[in-house]
């Protein structure tokens, strides 16, 4: 009779989880090329693993349910599960959460989905389980190696994260969690004069405090995508 010790079982479990993450990454990259294609494959896999981590926080562990959760992160918002009505459904019956995520659109009104989309925050793509509840400085620093995978050796992640949070506050990007990581990428890709409107005229719109903060962040993300083919 074949005997499997706990260490072997854990290894088999980890292999199965890794294989599932790989398959999910490939499926999502094919279905949503505008998102994952911005990253090399190893970073794509890490992002998908972060999606799985976030779903697991709710107790979701069925493969089919994990797929749905990941698709909602892409199609609605990476932080869709923070919207009050959606959160209430996910939290209502932990024993049935795998089933509930499959039919969640039946229990959550359209207005709630619109609100989740309007308050989108891309930072969860770049956060693994151990950083989900840490301070924003730690979250931002942990995200840098993913969004700037080819430049991380050029600077101190914690120093850049701290500086970016301070600058986000100056620009009145308060309470927008992905503003600091966006600023880190902005600063890294555009150089020392990244915020000089004489060099980059579009910076004037980013600085315009009369515009809604989320609109300005979205404009900055779009500019980064246009100029550098990057997603943040």
């Amino acid at each position: 009779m074949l005997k499997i010790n706990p260490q072997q079982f854990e290894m088999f479990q980890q292999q199965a989880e890794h294989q599932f993450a790989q398959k999910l990454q490939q499926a999502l990259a094919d279905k949503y090329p505008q998102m994952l294609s911005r990253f090399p494959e190893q970073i794509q896999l890490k992002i998908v693993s972060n999606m799985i981590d976030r779903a697991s926080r709710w107790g979701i562990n069925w493969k089919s349910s994990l797929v749905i959760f990941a698709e909602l992160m892409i199609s609605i918002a990476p932080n869709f599960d923070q919207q009050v009505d959606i959160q209430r459904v996910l939290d209502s019956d932990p024993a049935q959460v795998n089933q509930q995520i499959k039919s969640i659109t039946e229990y959550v009104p359209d207005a709630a989905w619109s609100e989740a989309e309007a308050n989108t925050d891309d930072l969860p793509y770049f956060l693994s389980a151990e950083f989900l509840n840490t301070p924003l400085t730690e979250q931002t620093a942990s995200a840098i190696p993913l969004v700037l995978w080819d430049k991380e050796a050029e600077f101190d992640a914690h120093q850049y994260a701290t500086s970016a949070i301070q600058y986000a506050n100056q620009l009145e990007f308060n309470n927008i969690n992905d503003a600091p990581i966006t600023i880190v990428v902005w600063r890294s890709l555009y150089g020392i004069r990244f915020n000089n409107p004489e060099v980059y005229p579009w910076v004037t719109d980013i600085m315009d405090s009369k515009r809604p903060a989320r609109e300005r962040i979205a404009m900055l993300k779009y500019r980064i995508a246009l100029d550098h083919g990057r997603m943040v």
Side-chain angles (χ1 to χ4, degrees):
M1 180 178 178
L2 179 64
K3 294 184 178 180
I4 300 177
N5 61 43
Q7 291 78 16
Q8 289 174 315
F9 179 81
E10 183 177 354
M11 181 184 68
F12 292 148
Q13 182 71 15
Q14 289 175 349
Q15 289 176 341
E17 291 173 356
H18 181 71
Q19 289 172 354
F20 171 70
Q22 286 181 313
K23 290 180 180 179
L24 182 56
Q25 175 255 315
Q26 292 166 1
L28 293 176
D30 289 342
K31 190 170 182 177
Y32 303 98
Q34 75 280 8
M35 186 275 200
L36 286 176
S37 64
R38 302 287 186 177
F39 303 92
E41 286 197 9
Q42 69 271 21
I43 304 299
Q44 292 183 28
L45 183 59
K46 180 59 179 171
I47 290 171
V48 170
S49 296
N50 290 344
M51 292 178 176
I52 294 171
D53 282 349
R54 192 172 183 89
S56 299
R57 183 181 62 167
W58 293 103
I60 296 171
N61 53 23
W62 292 0
K63 291 179 181 179
S64 55
S65 299
L66 290 169
V67 171
I68 291 170
F69 191 96
E71 290 208 56
L72 288 171
M73 286 185 69
I74 295 175
S75 62
I76 301 298
N79 61 327
F80 80 94
D81 56 337
Q82 291 180 328
Q83 199 280 333
V84 174
D85 295 307
I86 297 172
Q87 191 176 67
R88 186 180 297 117
V89 173
L90 292 173
D91 223 10
S92 62
D93 188 352
Q96 298 297 319
V97 69
N98 282 293
Q99 289 285 7
Q100 287 173 324
I101 192 66
K102 292 185 175 185
S103 56
I104 194 168
T105 55
E106 299 176 14
Y107 302 102
V108 176
D110 291 344
W113 294 108
S114 297
E115 182 182 327
E117 192 170 10
N119 292 298
T120 188
D121 170 7
D122 290 330
L123 189 58
Y125 284 140
F126 313 116
L127 297 179
S128 54
E130 64 266 34
F131 292 102
L132 288 176
N133 297 311
T134 58
L136 184 57
T137 303
E138 295 297 319
Q139 292 183 343
T140 301
S142 73
I144 289 174
L146 272 69
V147 296
L148 291 173
W149 67 89
D150 54 344
K151 298 178 179 293
E152 62 172 308
E154 298 177 8
F155 47 78
D156 182 286
H158 280 84
Q159 180 180 344
Y160 261 54
T162 300
S163 176
I165 289 173
Q166 292 171 350
Y167 191 47
N169 291 335
Q170 290 178 32
L171 294 178
E172 300 181 16
F173 291 153
N174 312 63
N175 303 318
I176 301 179
N177 287 342
D178 59 351
I181 188 63
T182 305
I183 289 171
V184 169
V185 175
W186 178 21
R187 177 180 176 183
S188 174
L189 297 181
Y190 292 91
I192 193 170
R193 296 193 288 177
F194 73 100
N195 59 352
N196 187 334
E198 294 183 1
V199 180
Y200 304 110
W202 50 265
V203 165
T204 302
D205 291 331
I206 307 301
M207 301 287 195
D208 185 2
S209 60
K210 294 180 182 178
R211 294 178 178 270
R214 287 191 178 277
E215 178 183 304
R216 292 152 62 205
I217 287 292
M219 291 168 62
L220 180 54
K221 288 173 179 282
Y222 187 61
R223 172 55 64 176
I224 290 169
L226 280 176
D227 289 349
H228 296 276
R230 297 259 186 167
M231 177 187 167
V232 59

